[in-house]
Amino acid sequence: RPGDLGGRLTRIIQSRLRDTSTGSSLRDLLTRLRSDDSGSHGFRKLLIILDQFESWSHSASIDERQDFADALRQCDGSQIRAMLVTRDDYWLGVRELLRWIEVPLQEGRNMASVDLMDPPHAMQILEAIGRGAGTLPKDDQALTNEQQQFVRQAVDELTTLGSVICVHLVMFAEMVRFQKWSPKELRRGGGVVGACSLFFHELFQKSGNRSPEYRRVAALVPPVLAALLPHEGETVATVSVPRGQLTDIAQAEGVAHLLDDGLRILVDELRMITVIAEDSEQAPLNVHPSQGQTDSSEVEHLVGQSPSPSSQPAYRLSHDFLVQPINAWLDRERNRTWRGRAKSRLGRMSDLWSRRPVKAQLPGFLDFVSLVAGSRFQRRSEAESRYLKAAARLHAGCLLYTSPS
């Protein structure tokens, strides 16, 4: 996650080795471990693995990246090694960091790309995950026809352009771990998206084998996740919400006392959302990672740019796979409250008006007031904002008449 990566790694390494020194930077620690006798530290080789490295590199300042590059220079390939795992759409930023290490990247030697899984391989992985979790029979027992159909149907829905993204498969398996793995249940839930949306209901509303602490923060979770959802055509990387805005949302819902516990559960336990610039006063770069700049000067400017200062952390969803299941779950939850119904109605009405922007598609005065009040503390799309502005112009006379003199 973002923040003081070097400090966290230093503390982790020191806790696992016979190293009682304090105040060392990661660079100093690795230098000492490489030069000293390995027996004095209780290790022969040290391997540092950083998965989802883009979570840190995308929001780190140029000074933080340079300090981390200085530390990585101490990896000699023998005693100390490091493995960085990152998504391909963040590769430009990571490559610039690696250039500072002054080690040439060579495909097949110190760099490799991992292809997406083909459907047969994905079926084997999903079956292995199910067996390991106890959802499917143990290794010495054959799957039933229903279980085989479930695995095949789930992989078919997760397949895009002939390939399956590994993290999508793992997240799906985790979300349906406590559900019955049969094609009938999968269809009843509404396919992969519907089955994953039931995960949120079981997590926060249903009594069972989940922690009661999750149900305690259930009233906070829907408005927080709704604020973090990207609109159509966006990705989760384009939407980050500061802590102050989440506080306003929680206060509007009357659950401000649950915010700290709710964010802790969503970030640290469930890992549904990610913290941006938690340990430093750096804000995220508000740049879409997949815009694909090809001009080298633009890439260098983007990579070397220090994020603008911010006095508070910001949050975003951890992965795009969560967007559809969260939307499906929120649609059901919204229909339980008048604010939710107003927001859903605003979305439908603004969509119709965007296709045919005529006066007849605008709401009446009372309906307009209800839509504004119901969606006041919720994030509106551009279409919804334009729709309400057009309605405000239509009812400007009524608003002036009803306002106090």
Side-chain angles (χ1 to χ4, degrees):
R1 59 185 171 85
D4 185 12
L5 179 61
R8 292 198 299 269
L9 284 175
T10 301
R11 292 190 293 271
I12 292 172
I13 294 173
Q14 287 178 332
S15 68
R16 284 162 171 75
L17 303 178
R18 291 196 288 268
D19 189 291
T20 59
S21 59
T22 59
S24 299
S25 66
L26 180 62
R27 177 184 180 278
D28 294 339
L29 175 62
L30 295 182
T31 301
R32 188 168 63 254
L33 293 179
R34 188 183 66 175
S35 58
D36 292 351
D37 178 20
S38 61
S40 63
H41 299 292
F43 83 101
R44 296 177 59 188
K45 293 186 177 182
L46 175 65
L47 173 62
I48 302 172
I49 301 177
L50 298 174
D51 195 9
Q52 295 182 324
F53 185 66
E54 69 277 358
S55 297
W56 176 81
S57 64
H58 184 58
S59 58
S61 68
I62 187 171
D63 290 336
E64 290 173 329
R65 282 175 281 182
Q66 286 177 336
D67 289 344
F68 189 72
D70 288 340
L72 289 184
R73 285 197 186 96
Q74 310 311 310
C75 297
D76 56 7
S78 177
Q79 275 190 296
I80 304 176
R81 300 182 181 186
M83 182 172 70
L84 310 182
V85 183
T86 186
R87 284 165 47 182
D88 59 352
D89 49 353
Y90 287 89
W91 173 242
L92 288 178
V94 175
R95 185 176 64 180
E96 188 70 16
L97 170 70
L98 296 178
R99 284 177 182 170
W100 293 338
I101 306 175
E102 300 176 352
V103 175
L105 298 178
Q106 302 177 26
E107 181 74 29
R109 181 177 177 83
N110 58 6
M111 178 184 68
S113 60
V114 180
D115 294 331
L116 300 178
M117 293 184 293
D118 56 54
H121 185 199
M123 291 173 62
Q124 294 177 1
I125 297 297
L126 182 58
E127 179 180 334
I129 294 175
R131 291 183 185 275
T135 311
L136 296 177
K138 297 299 181 181
D139 294 337
D140 56 347
Q141 301 179 31
L143 299 184
T144 65
N145 290 334
E146 280 196 343
Q147 291 168 339
Q148 292 177 358
Q149 291 174 17
F150 173 90
V151 172
R152 188 180 303 108
Q153 183 177 337
V155 170
D156 286 344
E157 292 191 36
L158 291 169
T159 301
T160 303
L161 300 178
S163 300
V164 179
I165 299 175
C166 179
V167 69
H168 290 186
L169 187 72
V170 174
M171 293 179 73
F172 166 75
E174 175 63 25
M175 287 182 166
V176 300
R177 187 167 49 139
F178 295 107
Q179 301 177 25
K180 184 179 179 181
W181 284 25
S182 71
K184 182 179 179 180
E185 293 297 322
L186 190 61
R187 288 192 300 270
R188 180 181 299 175
V192 166
V193 171
C196 291
S197 69
L198 293 176
F199 164 78
F200 296 97
H201 173 73
E202 295 173 349
L203 201 62
F204 298 110
Q205 266 88 33
K206 187 178 179 181
S207 299
N209 47 13
R210 301 290 186 173
S211 170
E213 186 73 2
Y214 297 166
R215 295 193 297 277
R216 190 177 73 85
V217 301
L220 171 77
V221 174
V224 167
L225 294 182
L228 298 174
L229 283 173
H231 296 307
E232 186 176 354
E234 298 178 338
T235 66
V236 296
T238 65
V239 180
S240 61
V241 180
R243 170 69 181 246
Q245 185 175 335
L246 293 181
T247 301
D248 293 340
I249 292 173
Q251 290 175 344
E253 298 290 334
V255 290
H257 62 289
L258 298 175
L259 185 62
D260 290 337
D261 289 338
L263 291 178
R264 173 182 55 79
I265 289 172
L266 291 172
V267 173
D268 297 330
E269 296 185 21
L270 300 177
R271 301 189 184 277
M272 292 182 183
I273 64 178
T274 300
V275 184
I276 307 299
E278 180 190 50
D279 295 329
S280 64
E281 295 184 354
Q282 302 296 336
L285 295 174
N286 293 321
V287 179
H288 194 300
S290 59
Q291 285 178 336
Q293 287 91 340
T294 56
D295 185 81
S296 59
S297 61
E298 291 184 7
V299 172
E300 292 174 1
H301 172 72
L302 170 62
V303 173
Q305 176 182 346
S306 294
S308 59
S310 174
S311 59
Q312 59 182 342
Y315 301 84
R316 69 179 176 213
L317 289 179
S318 59
H319 206 281
D320 291 306
F321 180 76
L322 294 170
V323 173
Q324 285 186 302
I326 290 176
N327 264 323
W329 175 60
L330 290 179
D331 283 343
R332 288 196 297 268
E333 294 301 308
R334 282 170 182 152
N335 290 330
R336 299 183 180 186
T337 65
W338 75 271
R339 286 186 183 274
R341 290 190 292 271
K343 186 65 169 65
S344 296
R345 192 167 73 256
L346 174 60
R348 293 191 299 269
M349 296 172 72
S350 63
D351 182 60
L352 292 174
W353 182 80
S354 298
R355 299 176 185 178
R356 189 166 176 261
V358 295
K359 183 178 178 180
Q361 298 282 8
L362 294 174
F365 177 70
L366 294 179
D367 202 13
F368 166 70
V369 173
S370 175
L371 292 174
V372 171
S375 62
R376 181 181 178 186
F377 294 103
Q378 304 183 61
R379 187 168 177 264
R380 298 168 182 159
S381 66
E382 291 185 10
E384 291 170 349
S385 297
R386 289 195 302 268
Y387 178 73
L388 291 179
K389 288 179 181 179
R393 289 192 295 268
L394 175 65
H395 300 297
C398 295
L399 294 172
L400 291 174
Y401 178 76
T402 57
S403 63
S405 57

